[in-house]
Amino acid sequence: LNIKELGQERDTLNFLKRFEVINHMFLFDMELLEETPGNTARLFRSHDPDVPLAARVSDRNEPIEQALGIKEAEYIWLDEMDSLWATEDTITTLRSAGKKIYAISPEIHGFGEEAMIGRWRQFADWNIEGICTDYPDRLTEFLDQAEVNWRP
């Protein structure tokens, strides 16, 4: 769940619990709204010690070091907005810190078909936990047909 507004943390958690969906998602992108990255993650965690949280890593001023500094986040939301910058070493670094990785598929940010398919293959080869795409059925078909070892 992409957090778009601060100040409603307790209400957000109560809503997610009421509809029993809190364990089927993670909360992310708080860093885009807050002055000090990690403050909102800590606030969410103070209201619920088990709430799933992600720290954002991107090529727009959200470096790996910042995300790893948000200890409350067990997930990484990996976003490649302007370039396909992440490498297998990036994934290894994040995994070494005990993080699970969810990545944005290139077409969401305007990259073409070739970049999308190529990145899907890399993400699968790197065994990331999830891919956010505009084409979930195509991704499923690709993963079923491609010779990749993805085990989400």
Side-chain angles (χ1 to χ4, degrees), residues 2-119:
N2 188 322
I3 301 299
K4 299 286 190 181
E5 183 177 326
L6 302 179
Q8 304 299 317
E9 292 79 14
R10 188 182 304 263
D11 290 340
T12 299
L13 291 172
N14 288 338
F15 178 85
L16 297 174
K17 289 175 186 177
R18 178 174 166 216
F19 289 98
E20 300 178 359
V21 295
I22 196 164
N23 294 321
H24 301 282
M25 67 177 66
F26 53 79
L27 309 180
F28 72 99
D29 264 5
M30 291 84 71
E31 302 93 325
L32 297 178
L33 304 170
E34 58 192 3
E35 288 184 30
T36 304
N39 280 351
T40 306
R42 285 185 282 284
L43 182 56
F44 271 119
R45 192 51 54 86
S46 73
H47 294 308
D48 181 342
D50 299 318
V51 61
L53 299 169
R56 177 184 178 80
V57 173
S58 84
D59 51 355
R60 289 195 179 169
N61 299 316
E62 292 97 20
I64 292 170
E65 298 77 18
Q66 174 180 290
L68 294 180
I70 301 173
K71 303 297 183 199
E72 295 77 13
E74 61 267 36
Y75 298 95
I76 294 294
W77 185 254
L78 190 137
D79 207 346
E80 298 177 304
M81 301 183 82
D82 298 317
S83 67
L84 303 180
W85 60 269
T87 65
E88 189 169 9
D89 286 343
T90 304
I91 303 306
T92 299
T93 298
L94 295 168
R95 281 263 164 63
S96 295
K99 305 297 184 182
K100 298 173 188 165
I101 303 160
Y102 284 74
I104 301 295
S105 183
E107 82 283 355
I108 290 177
H109 293 306
F111 292 90
E113 174 98 3
E114 188 176 328
M116 177 182 76
I117 298 297
R119 210 48 160 169

